[in-house]
Structure formats: C-alpha cells, structure tokens
Amino acid sequence: QLQLVESGGGLVQPGGSLRLSCAASGFTLDYYVIGWFRQAPGKEREGVSCISSSDGSTYYADSVKGRFTISRDNAKNTVYLQMNSLKPEDTAVYYCAATRHRWCTVVARYYDYWGQGTQVTVSS
C-alpha cells in the first residue's frame, strides 16, 4: 500500500520554526517529485514548494521564499520542509504529495499520492 505520512506540525509563536516530515511507505521516494501544499480555512489549496527527483532542483512560492527549505533524505525515504520565521498567515494544514512528473511542479492535479495533512498554527 502506497502511503505518505506527514508529521511535525504544531503550535508555534510568530518568528518560530518547525520542521515537517513526509515519510513514504510502500514505495521509494527517489523516483518521485515531492510537493508540499497547504490549505487554510476558507482558502484554496496553495502549492508551497517542491523538489525534483532527478537533480534535486527546488521551487518555492513567493510567500515562503527565503523562509522555507525543502530537502530530501532518500536513505530515510523522507522529505522535509524546514519552516523558519513563521508568520500567522502560514497557519494551515500542510500536505505532502508525490508525482512521477518529469519536473518539479506545484500544480496539484499532477500529483498521484497525498498524505493526510498536519496542522501548523502560528499564533502568540
């Protein structure tokens, strides 16, 4: 059974940091582009970041550029999203997803496998 499981969410004060993990089971992440998406209440899902399977190239949405870093550890079959300088507007459920697409993309319809999401709340 192919499965993605996110972890690492929680409550953090503005300016704080969290590291989200996306662990795969039933398949090897090496051959997949991995994307991180988020959805806040009442808002559409937003593509946050992605990392390619081939050369490790990455993409970041303007809203998180310079604050978030995506990385992958193929030995652990896990992708991470390091989130620094968090803002209240980063509050959302964060999802990771996997696709065999040729290149890094945050177009959600290209993704085949999704995790269940992890809540991130940034509040004082």
Side-chain angles (χ1 to χ4, degrees):
Q1 183 179 0
L2 306 180
Q3 192 174 14
L4 292 171
V5 179
E6 302 96 335
S7 61
L11 173 64
V12 63
Q13 292 186 342
S17 298
L18 285 173
R19 188 178 78 159
L20 304 184
S21 299
C22 173
S25 61
F27 67 110
T28 303
L29 284 182
D30 302 33
Y31 306 109
Y32 288 79
V33 169
I34 304 300
W36 282 97
F37 297 81
R38 66 186 182 185
Q39 189 163 21
K43 294 189 176 181
E44 292 192 356
R45 181 170 49 191
E46 175 189 12
V48 173
S49 181
C50 60
I51 185 166
S52 74
S53 57
S54 54
D55 59 3
S57 58
T58 58
Y59 165 85
Y60 298 95
D62 287 343
S63 57
V64 306
K65 198 172 294 182
R67 300 187 298 121
F68 290 11
T69 303
I70 190 171
S71 62
R72 62 195 307 154
D73 185 337
N74 289 339
K76 294 183 177 180
N77 215 26
T78 300
V79 170
Y80 302 98
L81 185 68
Q82 178 67 44
M83 305 187 298
N84 298 330
S85 303
L86 283 163
K87 305 175 181 180
E89 51 263 43
D90 294 317
T91 296
V93 178
Y94 284 71
Y95 301 89
C96 67
T99 176
R100 292 296 299 267
H101 200 63
R102 292 182 62 186
W103 53 82
C104 186
T105 175
V106 290
V107 177
R109 61 184 172 90
Y110 288 130
Y111 284 81
D112 303 304
Y113 307 107
W114 292 80
Q116 83 289 348
T118 186
Q119 176 70 47
V120 171
T121 303
V122 184
S123 175
S124 55

Short mmCIF file of all heavy atoms in Angstrom, two decimals, residues 9-63:
data_model
loop_
_atom_site.label_atom_id
_atom_site.label_comp_id
_atom_site.label_asym_id
_atom_site.label_seq_id
_atom_site.Cartn_x
_atom_site.Cartn_y
_atom_site.Cartn_z
N GLY A 9 3.92 19.01 12.60
CA GLY A 9 3.11 20.20 12.79
C GLY A 9 2.90 20.51 14.26
O GLY A 9 3.25 19.74 15.14
N GLY A 10 2.31 21.68 14.50
CA GLY A 10 2.04 22.07 15.88
C GLY A 10 1.76 23.54 16.00
O GLY A 10 1.55 24.24 15.00
N LEU A 11 1.77 24.00 17.23
CA LEU A 11 1.55 25.42 17.55
C LEU A 11 2.89 26.08 17.81
O LEU A 11 3.70 25.58 18.60
CB LEU A 11 0.66 25.54 18.78
CG LEU A 11 0.46 26.94 19.35
CD1 LEU A 11 -0.27 27.84 18.34
CD2 LEU A 11 -0.32 26.87 20.67
N VAL A 12 3.13 27.20 17.14
CA VAL A 12 4.39 27.91 17.31
C VAL A 12 4.11 29.41 17.30
O VAL A 12 3.14 29.87 16.66
CB VAL A 12 5.38 27.52 16.18
CG1 VAL A 12 4.86 27.92 14.81
CG2 VAL A 12 6.77 28.06 16.43
N GLN A 13 4.94 30.15 18.00
CA GLN A 13 4.78 31.60 18.03
C GLN A 13 5.32 32.23 16.74
O GLN A 13 6.21 31.66 16.10
CB GLN A 13 5.50 32.18 19.24
CG GLN A 13 4.87 31.80 20.56
CD GLN A 13 5.54 32.52 21.73
OE1 GLN A 13 6.65 33.03 21.62
NE2 GLN A 13 4.85 32.56 22.86
N PRO A 14 4.82 33.39 16.39
CA PRO A 14 5.38 34.10 15.23
C PRO A 14 6.89 34.26 15.38
O PRO A 14 7.39 34.57 16.46
CB PRO A 14 4.67 35.44 15.26
CG PRO A 14 3.36 35.14 15.93
CD PRO A 14 3.68 34.11 16.97
N GLY A 15 7.59 34.03 14.28
CA GLY A 15 9.04 34.07 14.30
C GLY A 15 9.70 32.75 14.61
O GLY A 15 10.92 32.60 14.47
N GLY A 16 8.91 31.78 15.02
CA GLY A 16 9.44 30.46 15.37
C GLY A 16 9.66 29.58 14.16
O GLY A 16 9.46 29.99 13.01
N SER A 17 10.06 28.34 14.45
CA SER A 17 10.39 27.38 13.40
C SER A 17 9.72 26.04 13.66
O SER A 17 9.47 25.67 14.81
CB SER A 17 11.90 27.16 13.32
OG SER A 17 12.58 28.35 13.00
N LEU A 18 9.47 25.34 12.58
CA LEU A 18 9.01 23.95 12.62
C LEU A 18 9.66 23.22 11.45
O LEU A 18 9.94 23.82 10.42
CB LEU A 18 7.49 23.85 12.48
CG LEU A 18 6.61 24.23 13.67
CD1 LEU A 18 5.14 24.21 13.25
CD2 LEU A 18 6.84 23.30 14.84
N ARG A 19 9.83 21.92 11.64
CA ARG A 19 10.27 21.07 10.53
C ARG A 19 9.24 19.99 10.30
O ARG A 19 8.99 19.16 11.18
CB ARG A 19 11.64 20.44 10.79
CG ARG A 19 12.18 19.73 9.54
CD ARG A 19 13.55 19.13 9.73
NE ARG A 19 13.51 17.88 10.47
CZ ARG A 19 14.47 16.97 10.44
NH1 ARG A 19 15.55 17.18 9.69
NH2 ARG A 19 14.38 15.87 11.15
N LEU A 20 8.65 20.01 9.12
CA LEU A 20 7.69 18.99 8.74
C LEU A 20 8.41 17.84 8.04
O LEU A 20 9.37 18.06 7.31
CB LEU A 20 6.63 19.56 7.80
CG LEU A 20 5.85 20.78 8.30
CD1 LEU A 20 4.77 21.16 7.28
CD2 LEU A 20 5.25 20.53 9.66
N SER A 21 7.93 16.63 8.29
CA SER A 21 8.47 15.45 7.64
C SER A 21 7.38 14.79 6.82
O SER A 21 6.20 14.80 7.19
CB SER A 21 8.99 14.45 8.68
OG SER A 21 10.03 15.00 9.44
N CYS A 22 7.79 14.19 5.72
CA CYS A 22 6.89 13.44 4.85
C CYS A 22 7.55 12.09 4.60
O CYS A 22 8.53 12.01 3.85
CB CYS A 22 6.66 14.19 3.56
SG CYS A 22 5.73 13.27 2.31
N ALA A 23 7.05 11.07 5.26
CA ALA A 23 7.64 9.74 5.16
C ALA A 23 6.80 8.87 4.25
O ALA A 23 5.56 8.86 4.34
CB ALA A 23 7.74 9.10 6.54
N ALA A 24 7.47 8.14 3.38
CA ALA A 24 6.77 7.27 2.43
C ALA A 24 6.88 5.82 2.85
O ALA A 24 7.90 5.38 3.39
CB ALA A 24 7.35 7.43 1.04
N SER A 25 5.83 5.08 2.58
CA SER A 25 5.87 3.63 2.78
C SER A 25 5.22 2.98 1.57
O SER A 25 4.30 3.54 0.97
CB SER A 25 5.15 3.22 4.07
OG SER A 25 3.79 3.60 4.02
N GLY A 26 5.73 1.83 1.21
CA GLY A 26 5.17 1.12 0.07
C GLY A 26 5.77 1.52 -1.26
O GLY A 26 5.46 0.91 -2.28
N PHE A 27 6.58 2.55 -1.28
CA PHE A 27 7.27 2.94 -2.50
C PHE A 27 8.49 3.78 -2.14
O PHE A 27 8.62 4.25 -1.02
CB PHE A 27 6.34 3.70 -3.46
CG PHE A 27 5.89 5.06 -2.98
CD1 PHE A 27 6.36 6.21 -3.58
CD2 PHE A 27 4.96 5.18 -1.95
CE1 PHE A 27 5.92 7.46 -3.16
CE2 PHE A 27 4.52 6.42 -1.53
CZ PHE A 27 5.00 7.56 -2.13
N THR A 28 9.37 3.95 -3.12
CA THR A 28 10.62 4.68 -2.90
C THR A 28 10.48 6.09 -3.44
O THR A 28 10.15 6.30 -4.61
CB THR A 28 11.77 3.97 -3.62
OG1 THR A 28 11.86 2.62 -3.14
CG2 THR A 28 13.09 4.67 -3.34
N LEU A 29 10.77 7.05 -2.58
CA LEU A 29 10.61 8.45 -2.97
C LEU A 29 11.64 8.93 -3.99
O LEU A 29 11.45 9.95 -4.63
CB LEU A 29 10.69 9.35 -1.74
CG LEU A 29 9.46 9.39 -0.82
CD1 LEU A 29 9.71 10.36 0.32
CD2 LEU A 29 8.23 9.78 -1.60
N ASP A 30 12.73 8.16 -4.14
CA ASP A 30 13.81 8.59 -5.02
C ASP A 30 13.32 9.00 -6.40
O ASP A 30 13.87 9.91 -7.02
CB ASP A 30 14.81 7.44 -5.23
CG ASP A 30 15.41 6.93 -3.95
OD1 ASP A 30 14.72 6.95 -2.94
OD2 ASP A 30 16.58 6.52 -3.99
N TYR A 31 12.29 8.30 -6.90
CA TYR A 31 11.87 8.49 -8.28
C TYR A 31 10.70 9.44 -8.42
O TYR A 31 10.11 9.56 -9.50
CB TYR A 31 11.53 7.14 -8.90
CG TYR A 31 12.63 6.14 -8.76
CD1 TYR A 31 12.52 5.05 -7.90
CD2 TYR A 31 13.83 6.29 -9.46
CE1 TYR A 31 13.56 4.14 -7.75
CE2 TYR A 31 14.86 5.39 -9.32
CZ TYR A 31 14.71 4.31 -8.45
OH TYR A 31 15.75 3.42 -8.31
N TYR A 32 10.36 10.11 -7.34
CA TYR A 32 9.18 10.97 -7.34
C TYR A 32 9.53 12.42 -7.05
O TYR A 32 10.40 12.70 -6.22
CB TYR A 32 8.18 10.49 -6.29
CG TYR A 32 7.47 9.22 -6.64
CD1 TYR A 32 8.10 7.99 -6.47
CD2 TYR A 32 6.19 9.23 -7.16
CE1 TYR A 32 7.46 6.81 -6.80
CE2 TYR A 32 5.54 8.06 -7.49
CZ TYR A 32 6.18 6.86 -7.32
OH TYR A 32 5.54 5.70 -7.65
N VAL A 33 8.84 13.30 -7.74
CA VAL A 33 8.83 14.70 -7.33
C VAL A 33 7.92 14.79 -6.11
O VAL A 33 6.83 14.21 -6.09
CB VAL A 33 8.28 15.60 -8.46
CG1 VAL A 33 8.02 17.00 -7.96
CG2 VAL A 33 9.23 15.59 -9.64
N ILE A 34 8.38 15.50 -5.09
CA ILE A 34 7.59 15.68 -3.88
C ILE A 34 7.22 17.14 -3.73
O ILE A 34 8.07 18.03 -3.87
CB ILE A 34 8.37 15.23 -2.63
CG1 ILE A 34 8.83 13.78 -2.80
CG2 ILE A 34 7.50 15.39 -1.38
CD1 ILE A 34 7.71 12.78 -3.00
N GLY A 35 5.96 17.37 -3.47
CA GLY A 35 5.48 18.73 -3.28
C GLY A 35 4.87 18.89 -1.89
O GLY A 35 4.37 17.94 -1.30
N TRP A 36 4.95 20.12 -1.41
CA TRP A 36 4.26 20.50 -0.19
C TRP A 36 3.18 21.52 -0.55
O TRP A 36 3.46 22.47 -1.27
CB TRP A 36 5.21 21.12 0.84
CG TRP A 36 6.05 20.13 1.58
CD1 TRP A 36 7.33 19.77 1.30
CD2 TRP A 36 5.67 19.37 2.73
NE1 TRP A 36 7.78 18.82 2.20
CE2 TRP A 36 6.78 18.57 3.09
CE3 TRP A 36 4.51 19.27 3.49
CZ2 TRP A 36 6.75 17.70 4.18
CZ3 TRP A 36 4.49 18.42 4.57
CH2 TRP A 36 5.60 17.64 4.92
N PHE A 37 2.00 21.29 -0.03
CA PHE A 37 0.86 22.16 -0.25
C PHE A 37 0.29 22.54 1.10
O PHE A 37 0.52 21.86 2.10
CB PHE A 37 -0.21 21.43 -1.09
CG PHE A 37 0.26 21.05 -2.46
CD1 PHE A 37 1.03 19.90 -2.66
CD2 PHE A 37 -0.07 21.82 -3.57
CE1 PHE A 37 1.47 19.54 -3.92
CE2 PHE A 37 0.36 21.46 -4.84
CZ PHE A 37 1.13 20.32 -5.00
N ARG A 38 -0.48 23.60 1.11
CA ARG A 38 -1.16 23.97 2.35
C ARG A 38 -2.53 24.53 2.04
O ARG A 38 -2.78 25.04 0.94
CB ARG A 38 -0.34 24.99 3.15
CG ARG A 38 -0.19 26.35 2.49
CD ARG A 38 0.76 27.23 3.32
NE ARG A 38 0.90 28.55 2.75
CZ ARG A 38 1.74 29.48 3.20
NH1 ARG A 38 2.54 29.21 4.25
NH2 ARG A 38 1.81 30.67 2.64
N GLN A 39 -3.41 24.39 3.02
CA GLN A 39 -4.76 24.93 2.86
C GLN A 39 -5.22 25.50 4.19
O GLN A 39 -5.28 24.79 5.20
CB GLN A 39 -5.74 23.86 2.38
CG GLN A 39 -7.09 24.42 2.00
CD GLN A 39 -7.90 23.47 1.16
OE1 GLN A 39 -7.67 22.26 1.14
NE2 GLN A 39 -8.88 24.02 0.44
N ALA A 40 -5.51 26.78 4.15
CA ALA A 40 -6.04 27.47 5.32
C ALA A 40 -7.56 27.47 5.24
O ALA A 40 -8.13 27.38 4.15
CB ALA A 40 -5.50 28.89 5.37
N PRO A 41 -8.23 27.61 6.38
CA PRO A 41 -9.70 27.62 6.38
C PRO A 41 -10.24 28.71 5.46
O PRO A 41 -9.80 29.87 5.52
CB PRO A 41 -10.06 27.90 7.84
CG PRO A 41 -8.90 27.40 8.61
CD PRO A 41 -7.70 27.67 7.75
N GLY A 42 -11.17 28.33 4.61
CA GLY A 42 -11.79 29.29 3.72
C GLY A 42 -10.96 29.72 2.52
O GLY A 42 -11.38 30.59 1.76
N LYS A 43 -9.78 29.10 2.37
CA LYS A 43 -8.90 29.46 1.25
C LYS A 43 -8.62 28.25 0.37
O LYS A 43 -8.78 27.11 0.79
CB LYS A 43 -7.57 30.02 1.79
CG LYS A 43 -7.72 31.34 2.53
CD LYS A 43 -6.35 31.94 2.85
CE LYS A 43 -6.48 33.29 3.50
NZ LYS A 43 -5.17 33.91 3.79
N GLU A 44 -8.21 28.53 -0.85
CA GLU A 44 -7.87 27.46 -1.76
C GLU A 44 -6.51 26.85 -1.39
O GLU A 44 -5.67 27.51 -0.77
CB GLU A 44 -7.84 27.98 -3.19
CG GLU A 44 -9.20 28.39 -3.72
CD GLU A 44 -9.19 28.63 -5.22
OE1 GLU A 44 -8.11 28.55 -5.83
OE2 GLU A 44 -10.27 28.90 -5.76
N ARG A 45 -6.34 25.62 -1.80
CA ARG A 45 -5.06 24.96 -1.59
C ARG A 45 -3.96 25.70 -2.34
O ARG A 45 -4.14 26.12 -3.47
CB ARG A 45 -5.14 23.51 -2.05
CG ARG A 45 -3.88 22.71 -1.86
CD ARG A 45 -4.16 21.24 -2.13
NE ARG A 45 -4.86 21.06 -3.38
CZ ARG A 45 -5.41 19.92 -3.76
NH1 ARG A 45 -5.36 18.85 -2.95
NH2 ARG A 45 -6.03 19.81 -4.92
N GLU A 46 -2.82 25.85 -1.69
CA GLU A 46 -1.69 26.59 -2.25
C GLU A 46 -0.47 25.68 -2.35
O GLU A 46 -0.13 24.98 -1.39
CB GLU A 46 -1.36 27.79 -1.36
CG GLU A 46 -0.12 28.57 -1.78
CD GLU A 46 0.30 29.63 -0.76
OE1 GLU A 46 -0.22 29.61 0.38
OE2 GLU A 46 1.16 30.46 -1.10
N GLY A 47 0.18 25.69 -3.48
CA GLY A 47 1.43 24.96 -3.63
C GLY A 47 2.55 25.76 -2.99
O GLY A 47 2.77 26.91 -3.35
N VAL A 48 3.25 25.17 -2.05
CA VAL A 48 4.26 25.87 -1.27
C VAL A 48 5.66 25.64 -1.82
O VAL A 48 6.44 26.58 -2.00
CB VAL A 48 4.20 25.41 0.20
CG1 VAL A 48 5.35 25.99 1.01
CG2 VAL A 48 2.86 25.79 0.82
N SER A 49 5.97 24.38 -2.10
CA SER A 49 7.33 24.05 -2.51
C SER A 49 7.35 22.67 -3.14
O SER A 49 6.42 21.88 -2.95
CB SER A 49 8.27 24.05 -1.28
OG SER A 49 9.59 23.74 -1.64
N CYS A 50 8.39 22.40 -3.92
CA CYS A 50 8.56 21.06 -4.46
C CYS A 50 10.05 20.81 -4.68
O CYS A 50 10.86 21.75 -4.72
CB CYS A 50 7.79 20.84 -5.74
SG CYS A 50 8.24 21.94 -7.09
N ILE A 51 10.39 19.52 -4.80
CA ILE A 51 11.77 19.12 -5.04
C ILE A 51 11.76 18.01 -6.07
O ILE A 51 10.95 17.08 -6.00
CB ILE A 51 12.46 18.68 -3.72
CG1 ILE A 51 13.94 18.39 -3.96
CG2 ILE A 51 11.76 17.50 -3.07
CD1 ILE A 51 14.75 18.29 -2.67
N SER A 52 12.64 18.14 -7.04
CA SER A 52 12.64 17.18 -8.13
C SER A 52 13.29 15.86 -7.71
O SER A 52 13.99 15.78 -6.70
CB SER A 52 13.39 17.76 -9.34
OG SER A 52 14.78 17.76 -9.08
N SER A 53 13.05 14.84 -8.53
CA SER A 53 13.62 13.52 -8.25
C SER A 53 14.99 13.35 -8.89
O SER A 53 15.78 12.54 -8.44
CB SER A 53 12.69 12.44 -8.77
OG SER A 53 12.45 12.62 -10.15
N SER A 54 15.27 14.14 -9.92
CA SER A 54 16.48 13.92 -10.69
C SER A 54 17.67 14.69 -10.15
O SER A 54 18.65 14.09 -9.69
CB SER A 54 16.23 14.31 -12.15
OG SER A 54 15.73 15.63 -12.22
N ASP A 55 17.58 16.01 -10.18
CA ASP A 55 18.74 16.82 -9.82
C ASP A 55 18.56 17.56 -8.50
O ASP A 55 19.42 18.37 -8.13
CB ASP A 55 19.08 17.81 -10.93
CG ASP A 55 17.93 18.76 -11.23
OD1 ASP A 55 16.89 18.68 -10.54
OD2 ASP A 55 18.08 19.58 -12.15
N GLY A 56 17.45 17.33 -7.82
CA GLY A 56 17.23 17.98 -6.54
C GLY A 56 16.86 19.44 -6.65
O GLY A 56 16.88 20.17 -5.64
N SER A 57 16.51 19.86 -7.85
CA SER A 57 16.10 21.26 -8.00
C SER A 57 14.82 21.51 -7.22
O SER A 57 14.01 20.60 -7.02
CB SER A 57 15.92 21.62 -9.47
OG SER A 57 14.97 20.78 -10.07
N THR A 58 14.66 22.74 -6.81
CA THR A 58 13.54 23.08 -5.93
C THR A 58 12.78 24.29 -6.45
O THR A 58 13.28 25.07 -7.28
CB THR A 58 14.05 23.38 -4.51
OG1 THR A 58 15.00 24.47 -4.57
CG2 THR A 58 14.70 22.17 -3.88
N TYR A 59 11.61 24.45 -5.92
CA TYR A 59 10.76 25.61 -6.21
C TYR A 59 10.10 26.05 -4.91
O TYR A 59 9.75 25.22 -4.07
CB TYR A 59 9.68 25.26 -7.24
CG TYR A 59 8.58 26.29 -7.30
CD1 TYR A 59 8.71 27.43 -8.10
CD2 TYR A 59 7.43 26.16 -6.52
CE1 TYR A 59 7.72 28.38 -8.12
CE2 TYR A 59 6.44 27.12 -6.54
CZ TYR A 59 6.59 28.23 -7.34
OH TYR A 59 5.62 29.18 -7.35
N TYR A 60 9.96 27.37 -4.76
CA TYR A 60 9.27 27.92 -3.60
C TYR A 60 8.28 28.98 -4.06
O TYR A 60 8.60 29.80 -4.92
CB TYR A 60 10.26 28.55 -2.62
CG TYR A 60 11.25 27.57 -2.05
CD1 TYR A 60 12.51 27.43 -2.62
CD2 TYR A 60 10.92 26.79 -0.95
CE1 TYR A 60 13.42 26.52 -2.13
CE2 TYR A 60 11.84 25.87 -0.43
CZ TYR A 60 13.08 25.75 -1.04
OH TYR A 60 13.98 24.84 -0.52
N ALA A 61 7.12 28.97 -3.46
CA ALA A 61 6.17 30.05 -3.70
C ALA A 61 6.75 31.34 -3.13
O ALA A 61 7.51 31.32 -2.16
CB ALA A 61 4.84 29.72 -3.03
N ASP A 62 6.38 32.44 -3.73
CA ASP A 62 6.90 33.74 -3.27
C ASP A 62 6.60 33.98 -1.80
O ASP A 62 7.38 34.62 -1.09
CB ASP A 62 6.31 34.87 -4.11
CG ASP A 62 6.88 34.91 -5.51
OD1 ASP A 62 7.95 34.31 -5.74
OD2 ASP A 62 6.26 35.57 -6.38
N SER A 63 5.47 33.45 -1.35
CA SER A 63 5.04 33.70 0.03
C SER A 63 5.97 33.04 1.07
O SER A 63 5.94 33.43 2.24
CB SER A 63 3.61 33.20 0.23
OG SER A 63 3.51 31.83 -0.10
#
